[in-house]
Amino acid sequence: MTDLSAAHEAAVTDRTRLAGSAYNGDRDLAARQSLYRWQTPRYDLPSLVAERLGDVRGRIVDIGCGNGKFIQRLRQDRPDLSLLGLDIAPGILADVPGPVAVADATRLPLTAGSVDAALALHMLYHVPDIPQAVRELARVVARSGLVVASTNSDRDKAELDDLWQRAAGDVLGIDRGPARIALSARFSLEKAPAFLGEEFSRVEVVEMPGTIAVPVPDPVIAHMASYRAWADQHDVPFDATIDRARSLVANHIARHGAYEITCLGGILVCSR
């Protein structure tokens, strides 16, 4: 591991940063989620997850439940289920319908085989020891149960990575600035099956490709600004780069009518 990748890993997995800054409320997470409003085709991810749980009865735990968007949908669509939300960040749990608890994905406060399904949605890349978290998923889920994980591809939103480097370069007075931090890189759609396959004999990958075409700059800039918790990792003045990115996006939209972003995420449905 290079020094750069070690610093990246430490920043993405630092519990103090995650609980105290990145997810101490849902503003930044909601900004990232809201960008998908302009995606074509539209994927209703909570609905897709609920469909995958169609045959599940009993107890479901949502690990790293964040602002509770999946719990809320399951409470609406599947009132027969017993739901528990867990997250390491107390602040983001404030408005999640209970029961919820603060917990670490590598040390789940659940007995072996005590849940019928577990969700780990866009969160395993934040866990310092991913193999241990996967072992915990396998431990707490019943032998006949399911685990549903989700993440983004290494190729997801490449246009935003390019936009950041262009804006950072302009701020620094060079051609291209340093890359922005990639949150999902440690557990990307390309890497996830190998991690999950250590404990589950069947890992089904459901890819969700699409294009986001945003007609105004604000949602794009809000998404980029949602990385503020990692501003110190970017080797460039963060606010100045965000301001320059806004100008670049506004100019692009004025010429082309929309700012297009290619996205690729997916869910992984795991069973024994």
Side-chain angles (χ1 to χ4, degrees), residues 22-23 25-34 65-68 92 122 226:
Y23 299 104
D26 84 332
R27 180 193 64 185
D28 291 340
L29 178 58
R32 291 196 287 277
Q33 291 169 337
S34 67
C65 66
N67 56 11
I92 207 166
H122 281 77
S226 74

Side-chain angles (χ1 to χ4, degrees), residues 3-68:
D3 289 341
L4 183 61
S5 63
H8 172 114
E9 180 148 345
V12 170
T13 61
D14 179 67
R15 182 166 184 163
T16 299
R17 190 189 300 256
L18 295 173
S21 180
Y23 299 104
N24 66 339
D26 84 332
R27 180 193 64 185
D28 291 340
L29 178 58
R32 291 196 287 277
Q33 291 169 337
S34 67
L35 193 63
Y36 292 96
R37 171 183 167 188
W38 288 274
Q39 183 178 10
T40 305
R42 290 289 295 273
Y43 298 98
D44 183 347
L45 189 54
S47 179
L48 291 173
V49 171
E51 287 174 16
R52 290 290 172 162
L53 299 174
D55 294 330
V56 174
R57 301 290 181 270
R59 191 179 189 198
I60 294 181
V61 59
D62 185 353
I63 301 161
C65 66
N67 56 11

Side-chain angles (χ1 to χ4, degrees), residues 106 124-135 186-187 195:
T106 61
L124 281 169
Y125 41 75
H126 285 311
V127 178
D129 189 342
I130 295 172
Q132 174 58 22
V134 174
R135 287 191 289 272
R186 299 176 62 249
F187 185 80
F195 282 115

Side-chain angles (χ1 to χ4, degrees), residues 80-95:
D80 57 300
L81 295 172
S82 175
L83 302 171
L84 171 65
L86 302 176
D87 204 282
I88 63 165
I92 207 166
L93 292 172
D95 296 320

Side-chain angles (χ1 to χ4, degrees), residues 2 57 83 154 259:
T2 66
R57 301 290 181 270
L83 302 171
D154 289 325
Y259 194 86

